[in-house]
Amino acid sequence: MRTTTRDHRKHTVLAAAAVAALSLGLTACGGGDGTGTKDEGAAASSRNATAVKPDATSKSDGGAKSDGAASDGSGTAKGGTAAQTAVKSKAGGSGTAAGGSDGSGKSSASAPACAYGDVRITVQKADETPTEHVVLTAKNISGHSCRLLQYPLIAFGPIQTAKDIPAVAKSKPEAPVVLAPGAPAYANVRIANGGVHEDNKVVTSFTVNLFAPDGPAEGSVDVKAPAGGLAVDEAVAKTGYWTEELRNGADEF
């Protein structure tokens, strides 16, 4: 049978259509022209990226744990300020913090009361004329922390007969005075009202006792007066409480 040119063209068109249909089928299955392969590759990359995210979060959390703070996702550690504050609190200070560490590992609650042999007490005249006040300084020479309780028990004369010098209530500090080794505390003391008075007596030394938790402690410290002695009027003498530093108002009397 003779095939005409027209029939030949018809067969060619049918064959091309079949090839096109087969190509579309392969594309839908992810093969053939490579387009499906690219789509599958993108989907696989997306799945892999999703799978990696928990691992990355885990690593981030691990890093946060290493510095003691949780990450908020922005790269800033939450709680960092509190941690730094805690570190600064432990590292800094004068070693006399009330209710906490004194810098030597002891807390104010566990530090023993200062005994008379734990401190060296000196006296200095106030910068005034005539002298109405002196300042006592108690320095911890014990090598361990101790609490300096209440106020100095001062005797301007023989301990058995000397007049008790009263304390000024407003000078009492709010926090316990805990002295680290080598640290000082102070007490302001009024010794006279100024000028010459018939009741004034010159003392070249006097005695200071300390307090224990249950009352006056045993033992006393002999304190040498400045050159020329001190003109003391026991009738008007007053003492402030021990404090870490002299304060305006509280220690003025």
Side-chain angles (χ1 to χ4, degrees):
M1 184 175 185
R2 187 178 179 180
T3 303
T4 65
T5 302
R6 190 172 188 174
D7 291 336
H8 179 74
R9 289 178 179 176
K10 183 177 180 180
H11 288 304
T12 301
V13 169
L14 291 175
V19 171
L22 178 59
S23 176
L24 288 175
L26 292 174
T27 301
C29 293
D33 62 357
T35 303
T37 303
K38 290 180 181 179
D39 292 342
E40 282 190 351
S45 298
S46 177
R47 288 195 299 271
N48 291 339
T50 303
V52 168
K53 285 182 180 180
D55 294 338
T57 303
S58 175
K59 290 178 182 178
S60 176
D61 290 343
K65 289 179 182 178
S66 67
D67 61 12
S71 173
D72 63 0
S74 65
T76 302
K78 293 181 178 179
T81 301
Q84 291 170 0
T85 301
V87 170
K88 289 180 180 179
S89 177
K90 290 178 181 179
S94 62
T96 55
S101 174
D102 60 9
S104 64
K106 285 190 175 182
S107 68
S108 61
S110 63
C114 297
Y116 74 94
D118 293 335
V119 295
R120 180 173 64 246
I121 299 177
T122 56
V123 61
Q124 183 177 4
K125 291 181 179 180
D127 186 14
E128 58 189 5
T129 303
T131 300
E132 298 181 7
H133 299 83
V134 295
V135 176
L136 297 183
T137 300
K139 184 177 181 180
N140 184 356
I141 59 172
S142 67
H144 61 79
S145 297
C146 64
R147 289 179 295 156
L148 198 54
L149 304 179
Q150 301 201 48
Y151 54 89
L153 291 166
I154 302 172
F156 290 115
I159 296 178
Q160 295 80 3
T161 60
K163 180 183 180 295
D164 292 333
I165 305 302
V168 178
K170 71 173 184 176
S171 69
K172 184 176 182 179
E174 295 181 0
V177 177
V178 181
L179 298 183
Y186 308 94
N188 191 36
V189 181
R190 172 176 283 280
I191 60 172
N193 279 338
V196 178
H197 193 277
E198 61 181 5
D199 292 331
N200 287 359
K201 64 178 182 180
V202 177
V203 298
T204 57
S205 65
F206 55 95
T207 303
V208 175
N209 282 50
L210 304 178
F211 273 97
D214 56 354
E218 294 184 2
S220 59
V221 178
D222 290 325
V223 181
K224 184 178 180 180
L230 298 173
V232 177
D233 183 355
E234 290 182 301
V236 300
K238 300 176 183 179
T239 182
Y241 280 71
W242 293 115
T243 181
E244 294 177 20
E245 59 182 0
L246 296 179
R247 303 147 295 165
N248 292 334
D251 293 302
E252 295 174 350
F253 49 85

